[in-house]
Amino acid sequence: MTDIAKQLRQIKSTLPAGVELVAVSKFHPVEALREAYDAGQRIFGESRVQELTEKIPAMPADTQWHFIGHLQTNKLKYIIGQVALIESVDSVRLLEMIDDLSAKRGVVTRVLMQVHVAQETTKFGFLPDELVDWFASRGFESLKATHICGLMGMASNTDDTERIEADFRMIADTRRRILDAAPDLRGFDTLSMGMSDDYELAIAAGSTLVRVGTAIFGSRY
Ligand SMILES: *Cc1c(COP(=O)(O)O)cnc(C)c1O
């Protein structure tokens, strides 16, 4: 068995039922993705449009791609209709452009709204209150071809376990507050939280989708 297959198997054995694994393959060559695919992995996460569009034709057709990086609106045209989930919707403008292009192309795009709770100022996303307000004012009702499946978020980049736990709790809490504000929302079930160093804490806080790169593929140079 290859190292990638072993690491995948090890991680999967720790995931409770109902928690899915995104293998974050950014910066890794297609050969590495192939190894993961051959070991049974189907969901891959990429954070750059150009890299993603190069990898798509090099992988089997049943590979599911999640886009997890900051998405520039001028690059949307390359990925609408190509990805299973856009995890990183960080503005209403982006959401509306995804919706318009999806409608134009006759596809339904599944997305997560990205919540910003981490200490770092460089991370993209909505503030929790901002997002709750947007749902309370029912901005989602005008979407024609987009299904908002839940939230994605990252914890602060720190060794402080309590801080990480508090960040994950706040993301999970934001989902509950949104459901309170818009109880008729359907299929708003996905909570994408947790990376190589903190996915266990994320699962304890209610994550249903973990995004793991380094612990599967090794470090990115
Ligand atoms: C790179 C990345 C990951 C994976 O991080 P690792 O620490 O390598 O597991 C997860 N989520 C997002 C949004 C990323 O950009």
Short mmCIF file of all heavy atoms in Angstrom, two decimals, residues 4-5 7-9 11-12 15 20-25 32-45 59-60 62-64 66 209-212 216-217:
data_model
loop_
_atom_site.label_atom_id
_atom_site.label_comp_id
_atom_site.label_asym_id
_atom_site.label_seq_id
_atom_site.Cartn_x
_atom_site.Cartn_y
_atom_site.Cartn_z
N ILE A 4 0.05 7.33 0.75
CA ILE A 4 -1.21 8.08 0.63
C ILE A 4 -2.38 7.17 0.97
O ILE A 4 -3.28 7.55 1.72
CB ILE A 4 -1.34 8.68 -0.79
CG1 ILE A 4 -0.33 9.83 -0.95
CG2 ILE A 4 -2.77 9.14 -1.06
CD1 ILE A 4 -0.26 10.42 -2.35
N ALA A 5 -2.35 5.94 0.45
CA ALA A 5 -3.43 4.99 0.74
C ALA A 5 -3.50 4.69 2.24
O ALA A 5 -4.58 4.62 2.83
CB ALA A 5 -3.24 3.71 -0.06
N GLN A 7 -2.39 6.60 4.75
CA GLN A 7 -2.85 7.77 5.52
C GLN A 7 -4.35 7.97 5.36
O GLN A 7 -5.05 8.29 6.33
CB GLN A 7 -2.07 9.02 5.10
CG GLN A 7 -0.89 9.26 6.02
CD GLN A 7 0.42 9.51 5.29
OE1 GLN A 7 1.42 8.91 5.65
NE2 GLN A 7 0.44 10.36 4.28
N LEU A 8 -4.82 7.77 4.15
CA LEU A 8 -6.27 7.88 3.90
C LEU A 8 -7.03 6.88 4.76
O LEU A 8 -8.02 7.23 5.41
CB LEU A 8 -6.56 7.55 2.44
CG LEU A 8 -6.88 8.68 1.49
CD1 LEU A 8 -7.07 8.12 0.10
CD2 LEU A 8 -8.11 9.46 1.93
N ARG A 9 -6.57 5.65 4.73
CA ARG A 9 -7.26 4.60 5.48
C ARG A 9 -7.27 4.91 6.97
O ARG A 9 -8.28 4.76 7.65
CB ARG A 9 -6.57 3.26 5.24
CG ARG A 9 -7.14 2.15 6.09
CD ARG A 9 -6.33 0.88 5.97
NE ARG A 9 -6.71 0.15 4.77
CZ ARG A 9 -6.39 -1.14 4.57
NH1 ARG A 9 -5.68 -1.79 5.46
NH2 ARG A 9 -6.77 -1.75 3.48
N ILE A 11 -7.05 7.88 8.45
CA ILE A 11 -7.95 9.00 8.76
C ILE A 11 -9.40 8.56 8.68
O ILE A 11 -10.21 8.84 9.56
CB ILE A 11 -7.68 10.18 7.80
CG1 ILE A 11 -6.31 10.79 8.09
CG2 ILE A 11 -8.78 11.24 7.90
CD1 ILE A 11 -5.77 11.68 7.01
N LYS A 12 -9.72 7.81 7.63
CA LYS A 12 -11.12 7.38 7.44
C LYS A 12 -11.59 6.52 8.61
O LYS A 12 -12.75 6.57 9.00
CB LYS A 12 -11.26 6.61 6.14
CG LYS A 12 -11.40 7.53 4.95
CD LYS A 12 -11.74 6.71 3.74
CE LYS A 12 -12.48 7.47 2.69
NZ LYS A 12 -12.38 6.78 1.37
N LEU A 15 -13.14 8.60 11.32
CA LEU A 15 -14.29 9.47 11.05
C LEU A 15 -15.58 8.77 11.44
O LEU A 15 -15.86 7.67 10.98
CB LEU A 15 -14.35 9.86 9.56
CG LEU A 15 -13.17 10.62 8.98
CD1 LEU A 15 -13.44 10.97 7.52
CD2 LEU A 15 -12.86 11.88 9.78
N GLU A 20 -18.00 13.26 6.13
CA GLU A 20 -17.34 12.98 4.85
C GLU A 20 -15.97 13.64 4.79
O GLU A 20 -15.72 14.65 5.45
CB GLU A 20 -18.20 13.52 3.71
CG GLU A 20 -19.35 12.59 3.35
CD GLU A 20 -19.88 12.91 1.96
OE1 GLU A 20 -20.40 14.04 1.80
OE2 GLU A 20 -19.76 12.06 1.07
N LEU A 21 -15.13 13.06 3.95
CA LEU A 21 -13.75 13.53 3.84
C LEU A 21 -13.50 14.14 2.46
O LEU A 21 -13.71 13.49 1.43
CB LEU A 21 -12.80 12.34 4.05
CG LEU A 21 -11.31 12.59 3.82
CD1 LEU A 21 -10.75 13.59 4.83
CD2 LEU A 21 -10.53 11.28 3.89
N VAL A 22 -13.03 15.39 2.46
CA VAL A 22 -12.51 16.02 1.25
C VAL A 22 -10.99 15.89 1.29
O VAL A 22 -10.36 16.34 2.25
CB VAL A 22 -12.87 17.52 1.18
CG1 VAL A 22 -12.33 18.14 -0.10
CG2 VAL A 22 -14.36 17.72 1.29
N ALA A 23 -10.41 15.25 0.28
CA ALA A 23 -8.95 15.17 0.20
C ALA A 23 -8.46 16.43 -0.49
O ALA A 23 -8.68 16.64 -1.68
CB ALA A 23 -8.54 13.92 -0.59
N VAL A 24 -7.82 17.30 0.28
CA VAL A 24 -7.38 18.59 -0.27
C VAL A 24 -6.06 18.39 -1.01
O VAL A 24 -5.01 18.16 -0.41
CB VAL A 24 -7.24 19.65 0.84
CG1 VAL A 24 -6.68 20.95 0.26
CG2 VAL A 24 -8.60 19.92 1.49
N SER A 25 -6.16 18.46 -2.34
CA SER A 25 -5.05 18.04 -3.19
C SER A 25 -4.32 19.20 -3.85
O SER A 25 -3.46 19.00 -4.71
CB SER A 25 -5.58 17.09 -4.26
OG SER A 25 -6.77 17.60 -4.85
N ALA A 32 -0.54 11.88 -7.36
CA ALA A 32 -0.91 11.74 -5.95
C ALA A 32 -2.44 11.60 -5.82
O ALA A 32 -2.93 10.78 -5.03
CB ALA A 32 -0.42 12.95 -5.16
N LEU A 33 -3.16 12.36 -6.61
CA LEU A 33 -4.62 12.26 -6.58
C LEU A 33 -5.07 10.88 -7.04
O LEU A 33 -6.00 10.29 -6.49
CB LEU A 33 -5.27 13.33 -7.47
CG LEU A 33 -5.36 14.74 -6.92
CD1 LEU A 33 -4.01 15.43 -6.90
CD2 LEU A 33 -6.33 15.59 -7.73
N ARG A 34 -4.39 10.37 -8.05
CA ARG A 34 -4.68 9.02 -8.56
C ARG A 34 -4.52 7.96 -7.47
O ARG A 34 -5.32 7.04 -7.37
CB ARG A 34 -3.70 8.68 -9.69
CG ARG A 34 -4.15 9.18 -10.99
CD ARG A 34 -5.00 8.10 -11.65
NE ARG A 34 -5.52 8.58 -12.91
CZ ARG A 34 -6.46 7.96 -13.59
NH1 ARG A 34 -6.98 6.83 -13.13
NH2 ARG A 34 -6.89 8.45 -14.72
N GLU A 35 -3.47 8.09 -6.71
CA GLU A 35 -3.25 7.12 -5.62
C GLU A 35 -4.42 7.16 -4.65
O GLU A 35 -4.88 6.13 -4.18
CB GLU A 35 -1.96 7.43 -4.87
CG GLU A 35 -0.71 6.96 -5.58
CD GLU A 35 0.55 7.20 -4.76
OE1 GLU A 35 0.47 7.20 -3.51
OE2 GLU A 35 1.61 7.42 -5.37
N ALA A 36 -4.85 8.37 -4.33
CA ALA A 36 -5.98 8.50 -3.41
C ALA A 36 -7.25 7.93 -4.04
O ALA A 36 -8.03 7.23 -3.40
CB ALA A 36 -6.17 9.96 -3.02
N TYR A 37 -7.43 8.22 -5.32
CA TYR A 37 -8.60 7.70 -6.04
C TYR A 37 -8.59 6.17 -6.03
O TYR A 37 -9.60 5.52 -5.74
CB TYR A 37 -8.61 8.23 -7.48
CG TYR A 37 -9.81 7.78 -8.27
CD1 TYR A 37 -10.95 8.58 -8.35
CD2 TYR A 37 -9.81 6.55 -8.93
CE1 TYR A 37 -12.07 8.15 -9.06
CE2 TYR A 37 -10.92 6.11 -9.63
CZ TYR A 37 -12.04 6.92 -9.70
OH TYR A 37 -13.15 6.49 -10.39
N ASP A 38 -7.45 5.61 -6.32
CA ASP A 38 -7.34 4.14 -6.36
C ASP A 38 -7.58 3.53 -4.98
O ASP A 38 -7.97 2.37 -4.88
CB ASP A 38 -5.97 3.71 -6.90
CG ASP A 38 -5.83 4.02 -8.38
OD1 ASP A 38 -6.87 4.23 -9.05
OD2 ASP A 38 -4.68 4.07 -8.89
N ALA A 39 -7.35 4.31 -3.94
CA ALA A 39 -7.62 3.83 -2.59
C ALA A 39 -9.08 4.10 -2.19
O ALA A 39 -9.45 3.90 -1.03
CB ALA A 39 -6.67 4.51 -1.60
N GLY A 40 -9.88 4.60 -3.12
CA GLY A 40 -11.30 4.74 -2.87
C GLY A 40 -11.79 6.16 -2.65
O GLY A 40 -12.99 6.40 -2.52
N GLN A 41 -10.87 7.12 -2.60
CA GLN A 41 -11.29 8.50 -2.36
C GLN A 41 -11.94 9.10 -3.61
O GLN A 41 -11.43 8.91 -4.71
CB GLN A 41 -10.07 9.35 -1.94
CG GLN A 41 -10.38 10.79 -1.62
CD GLN A 41 -11.29 10.96 -0.40
OE1 GLN A 41 -11.33 10.10 0.47
NE2 GLN A 41 -12.04 12.04 -0.35
N ARG A 42 -13.06 9.80 -3.44
CA ARG A 42 -13.72 10.39 -4.61
C ARG A 42 -13.84 11.91 -4.53
O ARG A 42 -13.98 12.57 -5.55
CB ARG A 42 -15.13 9.79 -4.78
CG ARG A 42 -15.10 8.32 -5.22
CD ARG A 42 -14.54 8.18 -6.63
NE ARG A 42 -14.45 6.78 -7.06
CZ ARG A 42 -13.40 5.99 -6.82
NH1 ARG A 42 -12.33 6.44 -6.15
NH2 ARG A 42 -13.39 4.74 -7.24
N ILE A 43 -13.82 12.47 -3.33
CA ILE A 43 -14.00 13.92 -3.22
C ILE A 43 -12.64 14.59 -3.03
O ILE A 43 -11.89 14.24 -2.10
CB ILE A 43 -14.90 14.30 -2.02
CG1 ILE A 43 -16.22 13.50 -2.05
CG2 ILE A 43 -15.20 15.79 -2.02
CD1 ILE A 43 -17.13 13.79 -0.86
N PHE A 44 -12.33 15.54 -3.90
CA PHE A 44 -11.05 16.25 -3.84
C PHE A 44 -11.31 17.75 -3.75
O PHE A 44 -12.25 18.27 -4.34
CB PHE A 44 -10.22 15.93 -5.08
CG PHE A 44 -9.74 14.50 -5.12
CD1 PHE A 44 -10.56 13.49 -5.61
CD2 PHE A 44 -8.50 14.15 -4.61
CE1 PHE A 44 -10.14 12.16 -5.61
CE2 PHE A 44 -8.07 12.82 -4.61
CZ PHE A 44 -8.89 11.83 -5.11
N GLY A 45 -10.46 18.44 -2.99
CA GLY A 45 -10.61 19.87 -2.80
C GLY A 45 -9.46 20.62 -3.44
O GLY A 45 -8.29 20.28 -3.24
N MET A 59 -8.43 13.25 -14.39
CA MET A 59 -8.95 12.31 -13.38
C MET A 59 -10.22 11.65 -13.90
O MET A 59 -10.89 12.18 -14.78
CB MET A 59 -9.23 13.06 -12.08
CG MET A 59 -7.99 13.50 -11.32
SD MET A 59 -7.06 12.11 -10.61
CE MET A 59 -8.16 11.64 -9.24
N PRO A 60 -10.58 10.47 -13.35
CA PRO A 60 -11.79 9.78 -13.80
C PRO A 60 -13.04 10.66 -13.65
O PRO A 60 -13.09 11.55 -12.80
CB PRO A 60 -11.86 8.56 -12.87
CG PRO A 60 -10.46 8.33 -12.44
CD PRO A 60 -9.84 9.69 -12.35
N ASP A 62 -15.91 10.22 -12.47
CA ASP A 62 -16.72 10.22 -11.24
C ASP A 62 -16.00 10.88 -10.06
O ASP A 62 -16.47 10.81 -8.93
CB ASP A 62 -17.20 8.81 -10.88
CG ASP A 62 -16.05 7.89 -10.47
OD1 ASP A 62 -14.88 8.21 -10.77
OD2 ASP A 62 -16.32 6.86 -9.84
N THR A 63 -14.89 11.55 -10.32
CA THR A 63 -14.24 12.35 -9.28
C THR A 63 -15.14 13.54 -8.96
O THR A 63 -15.67 14.19 -9.86
CB THR A 63 -12.88 12.86 -9.78
OG1 THR A 63 -12.10 11.76 -10.22
CG2 THR A 63 -12.14 13.61 -8.69
N GLN A 64 -15.32 13.82 -7.68
CA GLN A 64 -16.13 14.98 -7.28
C GLN A 64 -15.19 16.08 -6.79
O GLN A 64 -14.38 15.84 -5.90
CB GLN A 64 -17.10 14.60 -6.15
CG GLN A 64 -18.15 13.59 -6.59
CD GLN A 64 -18.91 13.07 -5.39
OE1 GLN A 64 -19.33 13.83 -4.53
NE2 GLN A 64 -19.07 11.76 -5.33
N HIS A 66 -14.47 19.75 -5.06
CA HIS A 66 -14.94 20.86 -4.23
C HIS A 66 -13.98 22.03 -4.42
O HIS A 66 -12.76 21.85 -4.30
CB HIS A 66 -14.95 20.46 -2.75
CG HIS A 66 -16.06 19.52 -2.38
ND1 HIS A 66 -16.46 19.33 -1.08
CD2 HIS A 66 -16.87 18.75 -3.16
CE1 HIS A 66 -17.47 18.45 -1.07
NE2 HIS A 66 -17.72 18.09 -2.30
N LEU A 209 -18.16 17.56 7.35
CA LEU A 209 -17.30 17.50 6.17
C LEU A 209 -15.93 18.04 6.59
O LEU A 209 -15.83 19.21 6.99
CB LEU A 209 -17.90 18.38 5.06
CG LEU A 209 -17.33 18.36 3.66
CD1 LEU A 209 -17.48 16.98 3.03
CD2 LEU A 209 -18.04 19.39 2.78
N VAL A 210 -14.91 17.19 6.56
CA VAL A 210 -13.58 17.68 6.94
C VAL A 210 -12.72 17.78 5.68
O VAL A 210 -12.85 17.00 4.75
CB VAL A 210 -12.92 16.78 8.00
CG1 VAL A 210 -13.67 16.87 9.32
CG2 VAL A 210 -12.81 15.33 7.55
N ARG A 211 -11.87 18.80 5.66
CA ARG A 211 -11.04 19.09 4.49
C ARG A 211 -9.58 18.86 4.88
O ARG A 211 -8.95 19.69 5.50
CB ARG A 211 -11.23 20.54 4.05
CG ARG A 211 -12.69 20.96 3.87
CD ARG A 211 -12.77 22.44 3.52
NE ARG A 211 -12.02 23.27 4.44
CZ ARG A 211 -12.48 23.79 5.57
NH1 ARG A 211 -13.74 23.59 5.93
NH2 ARG A 211 -11.71 24.51 6.34
N VAL A 212 -9.06 17.70 4.48
CA VAL A 212 -7.74 17.30 4.96
C VAL A 212 -6.76 17.18 3.80
O VAL A 212 -7.01 16.44 2.85
CB VAL A 212 -7.84 15.96 5.73
CG1 VAL A 212 -6.46 15.53 6.21
CG2 VAL A 212 -8.81 16.08 6.90
N ILE A 216 -2.91 13.67 4.48
CA ILE A 216 -3.04 12.63 3.46
C ILE A 216 -1.86 12.64 2.50
O ILE A 216 -1.22 11.61 2.25
CB ILE A 216 -4.34 12.81 2.63
CG1 ILE A 216 -5.57 12.68 3.52
CG2 ILE A 216 -4.39 11.80 1.48
CD1 ILE A 216 -6.88 13.09 2.83
N PHE A 217 -1.57 13.83 1.96
CA PHE A 217 -0.61 13.93 0.86
C PHE A 217 0.79 14.37 1.29
O PHE A 217 1.69 14.41 0.48
CB PHE A 217 -1.13 14.93 -0.17
CG PHE A 217 -2.41 14.51 -0.86
CD1 PHE A 217 -3.61 15.15 -0.59
CD2 PHE A 217 -2.40 13.47 -1.78
CE1 PHE A 217 -4.78 14.75 -1.20
CE2 PHE A 217 -3.56 13.07 -2.41
CZ PHE A 217 -4.76 13.72 -2.12
#
